[in-house]
Amino acid sequence: MSKKKNGFVVRFIHWGVALSVLLNAFILETGSLTHRYLGYTAVSLVLIRVLLAKKLNFDHYNPKAEYVYWSIWACIGVLGGSGYMMEMDQFFGNQKLETLHYYTSNTLLFLVSLHLVGIFTDAWIHRRKTWMVMISGRRQ
Amino acid sequence: MKNFVSIFLLSLLCVACTKNETKCTTEPKSQWKDQAEFKQNLKDQGYKINEFKVTSGNCYEIYGWDKDKNKVEIYFNPVSGDVVKSEKH
């Protein structure tokens, strides 16, 4: 009973984080107010997701790809941390933090592309609709 | 399937959009103000500069505090020295 509800939370978090990453990486201006608050939102969502991961036993994702998910979450954590620090008075606009933020975001985008390659490979070569898990909540 | 296609197209659209980046000039760097003089001029006006950088959008950008102690991020035109964009933090 609660499994379905959690499934919805996981999907909501997935698309919320995906949208935040796309907007922050490709659309919103670096360091703008919306970029910052959207970033903090993404970190909060990831935090909830990581806490959920400990509580729940998910069977709907590929355990072999689990390191990709954890790497993605770690990147988002580093982005949030370095972004927050850049706003502190003593590090305001700090270029070392900005460089860290920049390379972490590139790493994140690389991981996202790995994630997409995995999904598409599954769909086209193995004819599995793995992506349905994040849309309807179940494999079809 | 429809859902999947629309989400895929939407994400392609996002990637196709150009980043909303502040652009300040198209003049060659030889026309730009000297960086040291530019910074000194701002300090003389009461700015406290924490970081100075040249952006990929051809701006001089500072992170710091203005004369009223507002925490600000400002993009300047490096040729005229005009403020292109100012954001309070």
mmCIF file of all heavy atoms in Angstrom, chain A residues 15 22 24-33 36 87-89 92-95 98 120 131 135, chain B residues 1 3-4 7-8 14 17-22 50-51 53 63-65 71-73 75 85 87 89:
data_model
loop_
_atom_site.group_PDB
_atom_site.id
_atom_site.type_symbol
_atom_site.label_atom_id
_atom_site.label_comp_id
_atom_site.label_asym_id
_atom_site.label_seq_id
_atom_site.Cartn_x
_atom_site.Cartn_y
_atom_site.Cartn_z
ATOM 1 N N TRP A 15 11.929 13.684 -11.534
ATOM 2 C CA TRP A 15 11.671 14.709 -12.555
ATOM 3 C C TRP A 15 11.952 16.110 -12.037
ATOM 4 O O TRP A 15 12.361 16.989 -12.810
ATOM 5 C CB TRP A 15 10.240 14.581 -13.096
ATOM 6 C CG TRP A 15 10.080 13.314 -13.887
ATOM 7 C CD1 TRP A 15 9.324 12.228 -13.563
ATOM 8 C CD2 TRP A 15 10.741 12.986 -15.119
ATOM 9 N NE1 TRP A 15 9.476 11.233 -14.509
ATOM 10 C CE2 TRP A 15 10.336 11.672 -15.471
ATOM 11 C CE3 TRP A 15 11.633 13.653 -15.954
ATOM 12 C CZ2 TRP A 15 10.791 11.030 -16.627
ATOM 13 C CZ3 TRP A 15 12.085 13.009 -17.103
ATOM 14 C CH2 TRP A 15 11.671 11.723 -17.426
ATOM 15 N N LEU A 22 18.606 20.502 -15.704
ATOM 16 C CA LEU A 22 18.552 21.033 -17.075
ATOM 17 C C LEU A 22 18.481 22.560 -17.075
ATOM 18 O O LEU A 22 19.205 23.222 -17.820
ATOM 19 C CB LEU A 22 17.339 20.475 -17.821
ATOM 20 C CG LEU A 22 17.499 19.082 -18.424
ATOM 21 C CD1 LEU A 22 16.185 18.618 -19.029
ATOM 22 C CD2 LEU A 22 18.600 19.080 -19.492
ATOM 23 N N ASN A 24 19.329 24.718 -14.668
ATOM 24 C CA ASN A 24 20.534 25.346 -14.140
ATOM 25 C C ASN A 24 21.729 25.193 -15.082
ATOM 26 O O ASN A 24 22.555 26.091 -15.194
ATOM 27 C CB ASN A 24 20.878 24.795 -12.761
ATOM 28 C CG ASN A 24 20.243 25.615 -11.662
ATOM 29 O OD1 ASN A 24 19.568 26.610 -11.927
ATOM 30 N ND2 ASN A 24 20.454 25.216 -10.426
ATOM 31 N N ALA A 25 21.802 24.070 -15.777
ATOM 32 C CA ALA A 25 22.952 23.845 -16.647
ATOM 33 C C ALA A 25 22.828 24.585 -17.972
ATOM 34 O O ALA A 25 23.818 25.099 -18.484
ATOM 35 C CB ALA A 25 23.139 22.353 -16.900
ATOM 36 N N PHE A 26 21.602 24.650 -18.514
ATOM 37 C CA PHE A 26 21.489 25.146 -19.883
ATOM 38 C C PHE A 26 20.702 26.436 -20.057
ATOM 39 O O PHE A 26 20.810 27.089 -21.084
ATOM 40 C CB PHE A 26 20.861 24.070 -20.776
ATOM 41 C CG PHE A 26 21.690 22.835 -20.878
ATOM 42 C CD1 PHE A 26 21.250 21.648 -20.317
ATOM 43 C CD2 PHE A 26 22.927 22.862 -21.506
ATOM 44 C CE1 PHE A 26 22.026 20.494 -20.401
ATOM 45 C CE2 PHE A 26 23.705 21.723 -21.598
ATOM 46 C CZ PHE A 26 23.256 20.542 -21.047
ATOM 47 N N ILE A 27 19.870 26.809 -19.102
ATOM 48 C CA ILE A 27 18.987 27.939 -19.353
ATOM 49 C C ILE A 27 19.288 29.136 -18.452
ATOM 50 O O ILE A 27 19.507 30.241 -18.931
ATOM 51 C CB ILE A 27 17.489 27.549 -19.162
ATOM 52 C CG1 ILE A 27 17.186 26.230 -19.861
ATOM 53 C CG2 ILE A 27 16.581 28.689 -19.599
ATOM 54 C CD1 ILE A 27 16.774 26.308 -21.295
ATOM 55 N N LEU A 28 19.292 28.917 -17.155
ATOM 56 C CA LEU A 28 19.401 30.035 -16.231
ATOM 57 C C LEU A 28 20.822 30.577 -16.161
ATOM 58 O O LEU A 28 21.787 29.831 -16.312
ATOM 59 C CB LEU A 28 18.960 29.597 -14.826
ATOM 60 C CG LEU A 28 17.502 29.174 -14.729
ATOM 61 C CD1 LEU A 28 17.244 28.472 -13.405
ATOM 62 C CD2 LEU A 28 16.587 30.385 -14.880
ATOM 63 N N GLU A 29 20.918 31.888 -15.921
ATOM 64 C CA GLU A 29 22.251 32.482 -15.841
ATOM 65 C C GLU A 29 22.980 32.000 -14.594
ATOM 66 O O GLU A 29 22.422 31.916 -13.503
ATOM 67 C CB GLU A 29 22.175 34.008 -15.837
ATOM 68 C CG GLU A 29 23.559 34.611 -15.702
ATOM 69 C CD GLU A 29 23.661 36.026 -16.241
ATOM 70 O OE1 GLU A 29 22.879 36.876 -15.796
ATOM 71 O OE2 GLU A 29 24.519 36.253 -17.091
ATOM 72 N N THR A 30 24.260 31.708 -14.804
ATOM 73 C CA THR A 30 25.141 31.267 -13.734
ATOM 74 C C THR A 30 25.045 32.200 -12.533
ATOM 75 O O THR A 30 25.222 33.410 -12.682
ATOM 76 C CB THR A 30 26.593 31.273 -14.262
ATOM 77 O OG1 THR A 30 26.606 30.559 -15.490
ATOM 78 C CG2 THR A 30 27.552 30.640 -13.287
ATOM 79 N N GLY A 31 24.746 31.632 -11.374
ATOM 80 C CA GLY A 31 24.753 32.434 -10.151
ATOM 81 C C GLY A 31 23.547 33.338 -9.935
ATOM 82 O O GLY A 31 23.489 34.060 -8.951
ATOM 83 N N SER A 32 22.558 33.307 -10.850
ATOM 84 C CA SER A 32 21.393 34.170 -10.655
ATOM 85 C C SER A 32 20.558 33.665 -9.478
ATOM 86 O O SER A 32 20.716 32.525 -9.039
ATOM 87 C CB SER A 32 20.543 34.218 -11.925
ATOM 88 O OG SER A 32 20.039 32.929 -12.204
ATOM 89 N N LEU A 33 19.646 34.510 -8.997
ATOM 90 C CA LEU A 33 18.835 34.156 -7.825
ATOM 91 C C LEU A 33 18.054 32.864 -8.067
ATOM 92 O O LEU A 33 18.029 31.972 -7.212
ATOM 93 C CB LEU A 33 17.884 35.315 -7.513
ATOM 94 C CG LEU A 33 17.159 35.231 -6.177
ATOM 95 C CD1 LEU A 33 18.108 35.557 -5.033
ATOM 96 C CD2 LEU A 33 15.958 36.174 -6.157
ATOM 97 N N ARG A 36 20.262 29.831 -7.981
ATOM 98 C CA ARG A 36 20.644 29.439 -6.624
ATOM 99 C C ARG A 36 19.522 28.698 -5.906
ATOM 100 O O ARG A 36 19.725 27.619 -5.348
ATOM 101 C CB ARG A 36 21.045 30.679 -5.815
ATOM 102 C CG ARG A 36 22.464 31.138 -6.122
ATOM 103 C CD ARG A 36 22.804 32.378 -5.355
ATOM 104 N NE ARG A 36 22.455 33.575 -6.104
ATOM 105 C CZ ARG A 36 22.007 34.695 -5.556
ATOM 106 N NH1 ARG A 36 21.816 34.780 -4.256
ATOM 107 N NH2 ARG A 36 21.756 35.738 -6.309
ATOM 108 N N GLU A 87 28.477 32.033 -1.727
ATOM 109 C CA GLU A 87 27.621 33.143 -1.298
ATOM 110 C C GLU A 87 28.019 33.681 0.074
ATOM 111 O O GLU A 87 27.556 34.728 0.497
ATOM 112 C CB GLU A 87 26.158 32.677 -1.241
ATOM 113 C CG GLU A 87 25.545 32.427 -2.591
ATOM 114 C CD GLU A 87 25.508 33.683 -3.448
ATOM 115 O OE1 GLU A 87 25.096 34.737 -2.948
ATOM 116 O OE2 GLU A 87 25.913 33.603 -4.616
ATOM 117 N N MET A 88 28.871 32.913 0.796
ATOM 118 C CA MET A 88 29.297 33.379 2.111
ATOM 119 C C MET A 88 30.243 34.568 1.941
ATOM 120 O O MET A 88 31.008 34.623 0.986
ATOM 121 C CB MET A 88 30.000 32.243 2.859
ATOM 122 C CG MET A 88 29.046 31.121 3.262
ATOM 123 S SD MET A 88 29.909 29.575 3.622
ATOM 124 C CE MET A 88 30.730 30.018 5.151
ATOM 125 N N ASP A 89 30.181 35.506 2.896
ATOM 126 C CA ASP A 89 30.964 36.747 2.768
ATOM 127 C C ASP A 89 32.430 36.497 2.448
ATOM 128 O O ASP A 89 32.986 37.104 1.534
ATOM 129 C CB ASP A 89 30.855 37.573 4.060
ATOM 130 C CG ASP A 89 29.535 38.322 4.130
ATOM 131 O OD1 ASP A 89 28.729 38.171 3.184
ATOM 132 O OD2 ASP A 89 29.304 39.047 5.110
ATOM 133 N N PHE A 92 32.779 35.062 -1.155
ATOM 134 C CA PHE A 92 31.843 35.604 -2.135
ATOM 135 C C PHE A 92 32.497 35.685 -3.521
ATOM 136 O O PHE A 92 33.444 36.431 -3.731
ATOM 137 C CB PHE A 92 31.352 36.976 -1.677
ATOM 138 C CG PHE A 92 30.277 37.560 -2.560
ATOM 139 C CD1 PHE A 92 29.252 36.766 -3.049
ATOM 140 C CD2 PHE A 92 30.295 38.907 -2.888
ATOM 141 C CE1 PHE A 92 28.261 37.302 -3.853
ATOM 142 C CE2 PHE A 92 29.297 39.444 -3.695
ATOM 143 C CZ PHE A 92 28.286 38.646 -4.176
ATOM 144 N N GLY A 93 31.973 34.878 -4.460
ATOM 145 C CA GLY A 93 32.504 34.873 -5.830
ATOM 146 C C GLY A 93 33.847 34.185 -5.963
ATOM 147 O O GLY A 93 34.496 34.306 -7.002
ATOM 148 N N ASN A 94 34.260 33.444 -4.937
ATOM 149 C CA ASN A 94 35.574 32.780 -4.930
ATOM 150 C C ASN A 94 35.805 31.961 -6.210
ATOM 151 O O ASN A 94 34.998 31.108 -6.574
ATOM 152 C CB ASN A 94 35.656 31.871 -3.693
ATOM 153 C CG ASN A 94 37.026 31.257 -3.526
ATOM 154 O OD1 ASN A 94 37.390 30.338 -4.236
ATOM 155 N ND2 ASN A 94 37.776 31.784 -2.579
ATOM 156 N N GLN A 95 36.921 32.238 -6.868
ATOM 157 C CA GLN A 95 37.169 31.611 -8.174
ATOM 158 C C GLN A 95 37.536 30.133 -8.081
ATOM 159 O O GLN A 95 37.257 29.377 -8.992
ATOM 160 C CB GLN A 95 38.238 32.394 -8.941
ATOM 161 C CG GLN A 95 37.754 33.767 -9.399
ATOM 162 C CD GLN A 95 36.499 33.694 -10.260
ATOM 163 O OE1 GLN A 95 36.532 33.227 -11.378
ATOM 164 N NE2 GLN A 95 35.360 34.138 -9.723
ATOM 165 N N GLU A 98 34.321 28.448 -7.717
ATOM 166 C CA GLU A 98 33.602 28.530 -8.984
ATOM 167 C C GLU A 98 34.128 27.484 -9.972
ATOM 168 O O GLU A 98 33.355 26.848 -10.695
ATOM 169 C CB GLU A 98 33.740 29.940 -9.573
ATOM 170 C CG GLU A 98 32.696 30.236 -10.634
ATOM 171 C CD GLU A 98 32.751 31.663 -11.130
ATOM 172 O OE1 GLU A 98 32.359 32.564 -10.365
ATOM 173 O OE2 GLU A 98 33.199 31.894 -12.253
ATOM 174 N N PHE A 120 18.460 4.187 -23.030
ATOM 175 C CA PHE A 120 18.202 3.973 -24.463
ATOM 176 C C PHE A 120 18.719 2.610 -24.923
ATOM 177 O O PHE A 120 18.075 1.942 -25.733
ATOM 178 C CB PHE A 120 18.822 5.097 -25.306
ATOM 179 C CG PHE A 120 18.021 6.370 -25.246
ATOM 180 C CD1 PHE A 120 18.585 7.539 -24.741
ATOM 181 C CD2 PHE A 120 16.701 6.397 -25.685
ATOM 182 C CE1 PHE A 120 17.842 8.709 -24.673
ATOM 183 C CE2 PHE A 120 15.951 7.570 -25.622
ATOM 184 C CZ PHE A 120 16.526 8.724 -25.116
ATOM 185 N N TRP A 131 12.361 2.860 -18.900
ATOM 186 C CA TRP A 131 11.986 4.262 -18.661
ATOM 187 C C TRP A 131 10.565 4.424 -18.154
ATOM 188 O O TRP A 131 10.234 5.428 -17.547
ATOM 189 C CB TRP A 131 12.207 5.104 -19.926
ATOM 190 C CG TRP A 131 11.759 4.441 -21.199
ATOM 191 C CD1 TRP A 131 12.523 3.658 -22.018
ATOM 192 C CD2 TRP A 131 10.466 4.467 -21.778
ATOM 193 N NE1 TRP A 131 11.782 3.195 -23.082
ATOM 194 C CE2 TRP A 131 10.521 3.679 -22.973
ATOM 195 C CE3 TRP A 131 9.252 5.074 -21.432
ATOM 196 C CZ2 TRP A 131 9.415 3.496 -23.800
ATOM 197 C CZ3 TRP A 131 8.158 4.891 -22.268
ATOM 198 C CH2 TRP A 131 8.246 4.103 -23.429
ATOM 199 N N ILE A 135 7.807 6.929 -15.273
ATOM 200 C CA ILE A 135 6.615 7.620 -15.782
ATOM 201 C C ILE A 135 5.358 7.065 -15.127
ATOM 202 O O ILE A 135 4.634 7.775 -14.442
ATOM 203 C CB ILE A 135 6.555 7.548 -17.323
ATOM 204 C CG1 ILE A 135 7.748 8.331 -17.903
ATOM 205 C CG2 ILE A 135 5.242 8.141 -17.841
ATOM 206 C CD1 ILE A 135 7.992 8.097 -19.357
ATOM 207 N N MET B 1 3.711 5.920 -24.076
ATOM 208 C CA MET B 1 4.591 6.264 -25.198
ATOM 209 C C MET B 1 4.535 7.750 -25.510
ATOM 210 O O MET B 1 5.552 8.415 -25.691
ATOM 211 C CB MET B 1 4.187 5.440 -26.431
ATOM 212 C CG MET B 1 5.212 5.527 -27.559
ATOM 213 S SD MET B 1 6.837 4.862 -27.068
ATOM 214 C CE MET B 1 7.847 5.436 -28.403
ATOM 215 N N ASN B 3 3.702 10.120 -23.505
ATOM 216 C CA ASN B 3 4.396 10.790 -22.396
ATOM 217 C C ASN B 3 5.884 10.841 -22.633
ATOM 218 O O ASN B 3 6.516 11.872 -22.504
ATOM 219 C CB ASN B 3 4.183 9.993 -21.101
ATOM 220 C CG ASN B 3 3.003 10.513 -20.324
ATOM 221 O OD1 ASN B 3 2.599 11.651 -20.526
ATOM 222 N ND2 ASN B 3 2.464 9.685 -19.465
ATOM 223 N N PHE B 4 6.413 9.684 -23.003
ATOM 224 C CA PHE B 4 7.855 9.562 -23.184
ATOM 225 C C PHE B 4 8.342 10.483 -24.295
ATOM 226 O O PHE B 4 9.307 11.225 -24.132
ATOM 227 C CB PHE B 4 8.213 8.102 -23.512
ATOM 228 C CG PHE B 4 9.651 7.922 -23.873
ATOM 229 C CD1 PHE B 4 10.621 8.076 -22.899
ATOM 230 C CD2 PHE B 4 10.032 7.652 -25.173
ATOM 231 C CE1 PHE B 4 11.954 7.934 -23.216
ATOM 232 C CE2 PHE B 4 11.369 7.504 -25.499
ATOM 233 C CZ PHE B 4 12.328 7.653 -24.524
ATOM 234 N N ILE B 7 8.246 14.144 -23.202
ATOM 235 C CA ILE B 7 9.323 14.484 -22.266
ATOM 236 C C ILE B 7 10.654 14.566 -23.005
ATOM 237 O O ILE B 7 11.444 15.488 -22.788
ATOM 238 C CB ILE B 7 9.395 13.455 -21.108
ATOM 239 C CG1 ILE B 7 8.210 13.671 -20.180
ATOM 240 C CG2 ILE B 7 10.701 13.585 -20.327
ATOM 241 C CD1 ILE B 7 7.930 12.534 -19.250
ATOM 242 N N PHE B 8 10.856 13.651 -23.937
ATOM 243 C CA PHE B 8 12.097 13.645 -24.707
ATOM 244 C C PHE B 8 12.224 14.915 -25.542
ATOM 245 O O PHE B 8 13.271 15.570 -25.554
ATOM 246 C CB PHE B 8 12.147 12.401 -25.602
ATOM 247 C CG PHE B 8 13.401 12.295 -26.404
ATOM 248 C CD1 PHE B 8 14.617 12.041 -25.779
ATOM 249 C CD2 PHE B 8 13.378 12.472 -27.782
ATOM 250 C CE1 PHE B 8 15.782 11.952 -26.522
ATOM 251 C CE2 PHE B 8 14.543 12.381 -28.532
ATOM 252 C CZ PHE B 8 15.743 12.120 -27.891
ATOM 253 N N CYS B 14 15.066 22.115 -24.299
ATOM 254 C CA CYS B 14 15.868 22.746 -23.253
ATOM 255 C C CYS B 14 17.329 22.833 -23.661
ATOM 256 O O CYS B 14 17.973 23.862 -23.509
ATOM 257 C CB CYS B 14 15.779 21.960 -21.946
ATOM 258 S SG CYS B 14 14.200 22.104 -21.153
ATOM 259 N N CYS B 17 18.066 25.440 -26.360
ATOM 260 C CA CYS B 17 18.043 26.843 -25.938
ATOM 261 C C CYS B 17 19.457 27.290 -25.589
ATOM 262 O O CYS B 17 20.222 26.538 -25.001
ATOM 263 C CB CYS B 17 17.195 27.026 -24.673
ATOM 264 S SG CYS B 17 15.460 26.822 -24.936
ATOM 265 N N THR B 18 19.777 28.516 -25.957
ATOM 266 C CA THR B 18 21.097 28.998 -25.566
ATOM 267 C C THR B 18 21.032 29.496 -24.136
ATOM 268 O O THR B 18 20.004 29.951 -23.667
ATOM 269 C CB THR B 18 21.568 30.142 -26.472
ATOM 270 O OG1 THR B 18 20.486 31.055 -26.632
ATOM 271 C CG2 THR B 18 22.031 29.633 -27.803
ATOM 272 N N LYS B 19 22.133 29.364 -23.460
ATOM 273 C CA LYS B 19 22.206 29.783 -22.070
ATOM 274 C C LYS B 19 21.983 31.290 -21.960
ATOM 275 O O LYS B 19 22.514 32.065 -22.741
ATOM 276 C CB LYS B 19 23.584 29.415 -21.522
ATOM 277 C CG LYS B 19 23.757 29.778 -20.071
ATOM 278 C CD LYS B 19 24.113 28.577 -19.271
ATOM 279 C CE LYS B 19 24.271 28.973 -17.818
ATOM 280 N NZ LYS B 19 24.208 27.815 -16.960
ATOM 281 N N ASN B 20 21.202 31.640 -20.979
ATOM 282 C CA ASN B 20 20.915 33.050 -20.742
ATOM 283 C C ASN B 20 22.116 33.692 -20.061
ATOM 284 O O ASN B 20 22.230 33.681 -18.851
ATOM 285 C CB ASN B 20 19.657 33.160 -19.879
ATOM 286 C CG ASN B 20 19.236 34.584 -19.650
ATOM 287 O OD1 ASN B 20 19.766 35.508 -20.265
ATOM 288 N ND2 ASN B 20 18.283 34.781 -18.766
ATOM 289 N N GLU B 21 23.001 34.233 -20.870
ATOM 290 C CA GLU B 21 24.258 34.755 -20.353
ATOM 291 C C GLU B 21 24.349 36.251 -20.641
ATOM 292 O O GLU B 21 24.001 36.697 -21.730
ATOM 293 C CB GLU B 21 25.403 34.016 -21.060
ATOM 294 C CG GLU B 21 26.784 34.446 -20.631
ATOM 295 C CD GLU B 21 27.847 33.840 -21.542
ATOM 296 O OE1 GLU B 21 27.795 34.083 -22.761
ATOM 297 O OE2 GLU B 21 28.716 33.136 -21.029
ATOM 298 N N THR B 22 24.829 36.991 -19.658
ATOM 299 C CA THR B 22 24.980 38.435 -19.854
ATOM 300 C C THR B 22 26.149 38.712 -20.785
ATOM 301 O O THR B 22 27.259 38.254 -20.549
ATOM 302 C CB THR B 22 25.221 39.129 -18.501
ATOM 303 O OG1 THR B 22 24.103 38.868 -17.653
ATOM 304 C CG2 THR B 22 25.369 40.625 -18.672
ATOM 305 N N ASN B 50 35.678 41.713 -3.860
ATOM 306 C CA ASN B 50 36.099 40.416 -3.324
ATOM 307 C C ASN B 50 36.726 39.557 -4.419
ATOM 308 O O ASN B 50 37.728 38.901 -4.202
ATOM 309 C CB ASN B 50 34.884 39.701 -2.727
ATOM 310 C CG ASN B 50 35.237 38.881 -1.523
ATOM 311 O OD1 ASN B 50 36.028 39.329 -0.687
ATOM 312 N ND2 ASN B 50 34.681 37.690 -1.413
ATOM 313 N N GLU B 51 36.090 39.574 -5.592
ATOM 314 C CA GLU B 51 36.615 38.829 -6.748
ATOM 315 C C GLU B 51 36.371 39.652 -8.006
ATOM 316 O O GLU B 51 35.343 40.320 -8.138
ATOM 317 C CB GLU B 51 35.899 37.480 -6.907
ATOM 318 C CG GLU B 51 36.276 36.441 -5.883
ATOM 319 C CD GLU B 51 37.678 35.858 -6.061
ATOM 320 O OE1 GLU B 51 38.254 35.971 -7.168
ATOM 321 O OE2 GLU B 51 38.194 35.297 -5.081
ATOM 322 N N LYS B 53 36.529 39.143 -12.299
ATOM 323 C CA LYS B 53 36.783 38.178 -13.376
ATOM 324 C C LYS B 53 36.321 38.711 -14.715
ATOM 325 O O LYS B 53 35.470 39.606 -14.793
ATOM 326 C CB LYS B 53 36.150 36.823 -13.072
ATOM 327 C CG LYS B 53 34.645 36.805 -13.109
ATOM 328 C CD LYS B 53 34.086 35.405 -12.866
ATOM 329 C CE LYS B 53 34.021 34.615 -14.146
ATOM 330 N NZ LYS B 53 33.113 33.438 -14.015
ATOM 331 N N TYR B 63 32.497 40.666 -7.736
ATOM 332 C CA TYR B 63 31.728 40.214 -6.579
ATOM 333 C C TYR B 63 32.249 41.038 -5.414
ATOM 334 O O TYR B 63 33.456 41.063 -5.169
ATOM 335 C CB TYR B 63 31.987 38.739 -6.279
ATOM 336 C CG TYR B 63 31.482 37.765 -7.309
ATOM 337 C CD1 TYR B 63 32.279 37.392 -8.387
ATOM 338 C CD2 TYR B 63 30.216 37.203 -7.187
ATOM 339 C CE1 TYR B 63 31.819 36.471 -9.325
ATOM 340 C CE2 TYR B 63 29.755 36.276 -8.123
ATOM 341 C CZ TYR B 63 30.568 35.926 -9.185
ATOM 342 O OH TYR B 63 30.119 35.013 -10.104
ATOM 343 N N GLY B 64 31.377 41.712 -4.725
ATOM 344 C CA GLY B 64 31.851 42.516 -3.610
ATOM 345 C C GLY B 64 30.749 43.344 -2.975
ATOM 346 O O GLY B 64 29.583 42.940 -2.965
ATOM 347 N N TRP B 65 31.124 44.508 -2.464
ATOM 348 C CA TRP B 65 30.177 45.373 -1.770
ATOM 349 C C TRP B 65 30.255 46.780 -2.356
ATOM 350 O O TRP B 65 31.366 47.271 -2.641
ATOM 351 C CB TRP B 65 30.502 45.409 -0.280
ATOM 352 C CG TRP B 65 30.151 44.132 0.429
ATOM 353 C CD1 TRP B 65 29.009 43.880 1.111
ATOM 354 C CD2 TRP B 65 30.939 42.938 0.510
ATOM 355 N NE1 TRP B 65 29.034 42.584 1.603
ATOM 356 C CE2 TRP B 65 30.192 41.986 1.254
ATOM 357 C CE3 TRP B 65 32.205 42.562 0.008
ATOM 358 C CZ2 TRP B 65 30.667 40.706 1.512
ATOM 359 C CZ3 TRP B 65 32.664 41.272 0.264
ATOM 360 C CH2 TRP B 65 31.900 40.361 1.013
ATOM 361 N N LYS B 71 25.755 43.777 -0.736
ATOM 362 C CA LYS B 71 26.535 42.683 -1.326
ATOM 363 C C LYS B 71 26.070 42.550 -2.780
ATOM 364 O O LYS B 71 24.902 42.262 -3.039
ATOM 365 C CB LYS B 71 26.239 41.410 -0.540
ATOM 366 C CG LYS B 71 27.180 40.269 -0.792
ATOM 367 C CD LYS B 71 26.833 39.152 0.179
ATOM 368 C CE LYS B 71 27.717 37.950 0.012
ATOM 369 N NZ LYS B 71 27.329 36.899 0.964
ATOM 370 N N VAL B 72 26.978 42.807 -3.701
ATOM 371 C CA VAL B 72 26.559 42.885 -5.103
ATOM 372 C C VAL B 72 27.449 42.085 -6.049
ATOM 373 O O VAL B 72 28.628 41.866 -5.801
ATOM 374 C CB VAL B 72 26.526 44.355 -5.615
ATOM 375 C CG1 VAL B 72 25.336 45.109 -5.060
ATOM 376 C CG2 VAL B 72 27.832 45.081 -5.296
ATOM 377 N N GLU B 73 26.810 41.670 -7.156
ATOM 378 C CA GLU B 73 27.512 41.055 -8.273
ATOM 379 C C GLU B 73 27.188 41.953 -9.460
ATOM 380 O O GLU B 73 26.024 42.143 -9.795
ATOM 381 C CB GLU B 73 26.968 39.633 -8.488
ATOM 382 C CG GLU B 73 27.578 38.914 -9.665
ATOM 383 C CD GLU B 73 26.911 37.550 -9.924
ATOM 384 O OE1 GLU B 73 26.010 37.161 -9.156
ATOM 385 O OE2 GLU B 73 27.301 36.915 -10.908
ATOM 386 N N TYR B 75 28.024 43.232 -13.545
ATOM 387 C CA TYR B 75 28.642 43.021 -14.858
ATOM 388 C C TYR B 75 28.847 44.389 -15.492
ATOM 389 O O TYR B 75 27.908 45.186 -15.582
ATOM 390 C CB TYR B 75 27.719 42.200 -15.765
ATOM 391 C CG TYR B 75 27.467 40.783 -15.322
ATOM 392 C CD1 TYR B 75 26.528 40.494 -14.329
ATOM 393 C CD2 TYR B 75 28.145 39.724 -15.927
ATOM 394 C CE1 TYR B 75 26.288 39.190 -13.941
ATOM 395 C CE2 TYR B 75 27.893 38.410 -15.541
ATOM 396 C CZ TYR B 75 26.969 38.150 -14.555
ATOM 397 O OH TYR B 75 26.716 36.846 -14.174
ATOM 398 N N LYS B 85 24.644 44.804 -15.815
ATOM 399 C CA LYS B 85 23.691 44.099 -14.960
ATOM 400 C C LYS B 85 24.203 44.130 -13.534
ATOM 401 O O LYS B 85 25.390 43.896 -13.296
ATOM 402 C CB LYS B 85 23.537 42.658 -15.433
ATOM 403 C CG LYS B 85 22.442 41.913 -14.706
ATOM 404 C CD LYS B 85 22.339 40.510 -15.243
ATOM 405 C CE LYS B 85 21.385 39.672 -14.421
ATOM 406 N NZ LYS B 85 21.414 38.282 -14.826
ATOM 407 N N GLU B 87 23.278 42.701 -9.583
ATOM 408 C CA GLU B 87 22.438 41.814 -8.784
ATOM 409 C C GLU B 87 22.832 41.904 -7.325
ATOM 410 O O GLU B 87 23.997 41.759 -6.996
ATOM 411 C CB GLU B 87 22.638 40.375 -9.250
ATOM 412 C CG GLU B 87 21.449 39.789 -9.969
ATOM 413 C CD GLU B 87 21.620 38.288 -10.152
ATOM 414 O OE1 GLU B 87 22.468 37.885 -10.958
ATOM 415 O OE2 GLU B 87 20.917 37.550 -9.462
ATOM 416 N N HIS B 89 22.950 40.326 -3.615
ATOM 417 C CA HIS B 89 22.987 38.968 -3.067
ATOM 418 C C HIS B 89 22.617 38.969 -1.588
ATOM 419 O O HIS B 89 22.772 39.960 -0.928
ATOM 420 C CB HIS B 89 24.373 38.345 -3.221
ATOM 421 C CG HIS B 89 24.612 37.810 -4.610
ATOM 422 N ND1 HIS B 89 24.731 36.491 -4.899
ATOM 423 C CD2 HIS B 89 24.726 38.466 -5.787
ATOM 424 C CE1 HIS B 89 24.909 36.335 -6.196
ATOM 425 N NE2 HIS B 89 24.925 37.494 -6.756
#
